[in-house]
Amino acid sequence: MSDDGTIIGDDPLTDGMNISVRLRRDFVVTDAARLLAAARRVYLELNPTATTEDAEAAVVDAADAVFTILEGDGLIGDALDAKLAAREADGLGLAGWRAQLIANEPDPLRPGGDCLRGDDVFALPATE
């Protein structure tokens, strides 16, 4: 709901309409070494011809680890795109997608959601 009381997103469907869905999901790294090792295992599952050395070279930081885990779980990447492409017959055509990792978000979302939070949860943190 907007500040003036109107419902946001109640636009009627029209042919040719472009729709952007912005999702935000915050995580807390509780064990960086385990997360990195898990992401490298997922990388090897996603790339069956890759070697352990390939995984170590490809998954080196927070973004690599998180995006590899999300792809392995089908939340981004080719598997999700293929599943959504099946909806084209239902009138929903795929466009593009974009993801961005923000490290050390100063105002993270709380577990269970922040649906009633009044500030813009999609605003990027100010850069210094």
Side-chain angles (χ1 to χ4, degrees):
M1 193 170 277
S2 70
D3 292 338
D4 65 3
T6 59
I7 296 175
I8 298 171
D10 64 346
D11 303 296
L13 282 174
T14 60
D15 291 344
M17 173 184 258
N18 288 309
I19 299 173
S20 295
V21 176
R22 296 172 64 195
L23 302 174
R24 177 175 161 182
R25 184 75 192 236
D26 290 6
F27 300 92
V28 176
V29 177
T30 59
D31 189 320
R34 277 191 1 215
L35 179 61
L36 195 58
R40 288 174 175 163
R41 285 192 306 273
V42 171
Y43 180 88
L44 292 171
E45 292 170 12
L46 292 170
N47 301 281
T49 61
T51 65
T52 302
E53 292 78 20
D54 294 334
E56 289 172 355
V59 182
V60 297
D61 58 24
D64 296 339
V66 170
F67 288 132
T68 300
I69 295 283
L70 294 177
E71 184 175 3
D73 289 344
L75 301 174
I76 62 171
D78 293 341
L80 178 60
D81 288 350
K83 189 168 189 163
L84 290 172
R87 291 294 180 184
E88 288 192 35
D90 294 331
L92 185 65
L94 289 180
W97 68 274
R98 177 180 177 176
Q100 180 179 25
L101 185 133
I102 303 295
N104 299 315
E105 161 66 48
D107 194 13
L109 299 175
R110 297 182 312 249
D114 283 307
C115 65
L116 299 178
R117 200 163 128 176
D119 58 332
D120 182 359
V121 298
F122 294 104
L124 295 175
T127 57
E128 297 176 21

